[in-house]
Amino acid sequence: MKKLLILILSIACSSQICLGQDKVMPELPRNEFSLSYGTISLMDIFVVIGNAFANEECFFPVHMEGQYLRNINKHIGLGFMTDYEYAFTKKYEMVKEYDSEGNVISKHKGDYTGIDDKYTFATFNAVARIYWFNREHFGMYSRAGVGAMALYDRDEDDPDNKVNWAFMPNLTPVGIEAGSRTVRGYVELANIWCLSFFNFGIKYSF
């Protein structure tokens, strides 16, 4: 957390130096599409902790996000986003060791059982983005959204695979972007809930 705060502050300070050399964006293009790839989310971390007690290992190989925004003025954009994540777990046997009186003295992970659980998370949010500032080649913003998440659990132990829905808000405290008026790369830091904790992407505006 300390390193993250230092990173954010250093970027913010360097951006203030660059602001005097970068022109103010006269007007935002009306439409914006973006696509990104990210790391695990805050929600994934809770899943890892919970499954550790069940003797399972978690893997999150795919986490992608797509978004459309309609800029209504120089500071505010409204639209929608969808976030997709694929994850799976590997189950291991629980090995117990006993003393001479039959009491459990230790537990440890044994052999892989060959059983995997597969999960698909799909989140659909209405979103609003607000720029802190936006120059011709550089900008910083925050974003918030609210919507629903669908979880499809494919458990090899349970043939009744089902889709569960849940209310799902999201928050992006810090977004940093750089590039031209129409094409920019961006990184989002410390996303909360199901969004990638660190998100990297590219957007196209017109």
Side-chain angles (χ1 to χ4, degrees):
M1 181 60 71
K2 184 177 179 181
K3 291 182 179 180
L4 175 60
L5 291 174
I6 293 174
L7 172 63
I8 294 172
L9 288 174
S10 63
I11 293 174
C13 291
S14 63
S15 67
Q16 292 297 324
I17 296 174
C18 295
L19 288 181
Q21 303 173 355
D22 202 4
K23 298 179 182 178
V24 175
M25 178 77 79
E27 184 178 349
L28 292 176
R30 281 311 226 180
N31 301 288
E32 177 184 310
F33 288 96
S34 62
L35 183 65
S36 62
Y37 190 88
T39 63
I40 66 173
S41 66
L42 185 62
M43 186 175 67
D44 293 337
I45 295 174
F46 294 143
V47 171
V48 170
I49 294 173
N51 283 9
F53 293 98
N55 227 34
E56 298 180 0
E57 289 185 355
C58 301
F59 301 88
F60 306 92
V62 179
H63 200 155
M64 300 184 68
E65 177 189 311
Q67 178 178 261
Y68 167 77
L69 287 175
R70 176 77 171 178
N71 294 309
I72 60 176
N73 58 39
K74 292 183 179 180
H75 304 286
I76 299 175
L78 303 176
F80 59 88
M81 58 77 67
T82 180
D83 184 88
Y84 170 82
E85 181 177 17
Y86 169 72
F88 65 92
T89 64
K90 290 183 175 293
K91 296 184 178 181
Y92 292 84
E93 295 178 348
M94 176 69 75
V95 178
K96 299 180 181 180
E97 295 183 359
Y98 301 86
D99 61 16
S100 58
E101 297 179 355
N103 300 314
V104 177
I105 58 175
S106 67
K107 298 178 181 179
H108 60 86
K109 184 172 66 176
D111 295 332
Y112 172 51
T113 63
I115 299 175
D116 297 339
D117 286 345
K118 301 178 179 66
Y119 303 91
T120 298
F121 303 89
T123 301
F124 308 92
N125 270 193
V127 296
R129 181 197 58 203
I130 300 177
Y131 275 108
W132 303 0
F133 57 82
N134 190 25
R135 303 299 185 182
E136 189 174 10
H137 299 291
F138 183 84
M140 295 184 70
Y141 62 89
S142 293
R143 180 183 63 166
V146 64
M149 182 185 72
L151 167 60
Y152 178 52
D153 181 4
R154 290 166 286 179
D155 191 336
E156 294 184 7
D157 286 339
D158 182 6
D160 297 327
N161 298 321
K162 60 183 76 173
V163 177
N164 296 305
W165 289 86
F167 172 72
M168 185 56 63
N170 284 294
L171 177 64
T172 301
V174 181
I176 303 168
E177 60 183 39
S180 68
R181 177 180 170 83
T182 57
V183 179
R184 288 187 176 186
Y186 64 89
V187 57
E188 294 174 341
L189 309 174
N191 286 319
I192 296 175
W193 297 122
C194 69
L195 301 182
S196 299
F197 200 72
F198 295 102
N199 208 30
F200 309 89
I202 188 168
K203 71 173 189 176
Y204 173 70
S205 304
F206 60 96

